[in-house]
Amino acid sequence: MEEGRGRLLPGATGMKFVVCEDGREYTERFERFLGGEFQFARAGHFAEALALAPGAQGLLLDLDFRRTPLALLVDETGAPTQPRAAEVQGILLLRALRSRGVRLPALLFADLDDPGRSARLEDELAPLQIVSSSEGLPQIAQRLRQISGRAAPPAA
């Protein structure tokens, strides 16, 4: 199948991922280049993510939500929060989803400077993988296949 045609490959039905972001960049990129294999549904804030989570294979989260209206920002419980929370809204959104029983595997797209912090977050919010901005689409696609049970984990 050619990229960008919007048709799913056989066996891809039901492999939906919720993309939590304040823009459309991730969703559009994933639909264009990975849409033949996976389905993507965009959530611009917590309430949308919570509504879309049932039936999804996993969550794909941006870290920074600075373009989100302040009234839609949440803390780790899903309650309204302060504007400074926009910079780490992806983490807070995932914590809020976890507090509501959403245990889907998650990929957080973030360049965190502290490997120890990354490890703590991955442990606290498991199943979670933090993905660097330097990671390309082939590696992201492999992660999505692993989440959806379509590929074996890489050899250690």
Side-chain angles (χ1 to χ4, degrees):
M1 187 192 112
E2 294 181 48
E3 292 176 330
R5 294 290 174 124
R7 289 176 285 175
L8 292 172
L9 295 173
T13 57
M15 294 186 339
K16 177 178 81 171
F17 290 87
V18 178
V19 182
C20 305
E21 63 176 328
D22 62 343
R24 294 203 50 83
E25 297 86 5
Y26 283 101
T27 304
E28 289 174 358
R29 181 176 177 219
F30 295 153
E31 285 175 343
R32 179 174 179 195
F33 295 106
L34 304 176
E37 192 171 351
F38 306 102
Q39 296 176 23
F40 300 97
R42 182 189 172 277
H45 53 83
F46 173 67
E48 289 179 350
L50 189 60
L52 290 169
Q57 292 286 110
L59 305 166
L60 312 177
L61 301 107
D62 189 8
L63 176 63
D64 191 316
F65 279 65
R66 291 182 207 185
R67 294 176 286 183
T68 298
L70 297 179
L72 297 175
L73 295 175
V74 297
D75 67 11
E76 61 274 352
T77 68
T81 192
Q82 302 299 316
R84 68 181 180 275
E87 295 176 15
V88 293
Q89 187 63 188
I91 294 169
L92 295 172
L93 198 150
L94 183 56
R95 282 184 176 142
L97 290 169
R98 295 288 192 247
S99 77
R100 302 287 175 92
V102 177
R103 298 284 177 243
L104 294 170
L107 301 182
L108 175 67
F109 297 95
D111 290 316
L112 302 178
D113 295 333
D114 180 1
R117 180 176 183 217
S118 296
R120 286 188 301 277
L121 283 171
E122 288 179 339
D123 185 53
E124 172 196 347
L125 298 171
L128 169 66
Q129 298 173 44
I130 297 176
V131 180
S132 167
S133 64
S134 65
E135 191 159 311
L137 282 169
Q139 292 86 8
I140 293 169
Q142 183 60 28
R143 288 179 186 263
L144 298 181
R145 287 183 203 107
Q146 289 171 0
I147 288 172
S148 62
R150 294 189 49 229

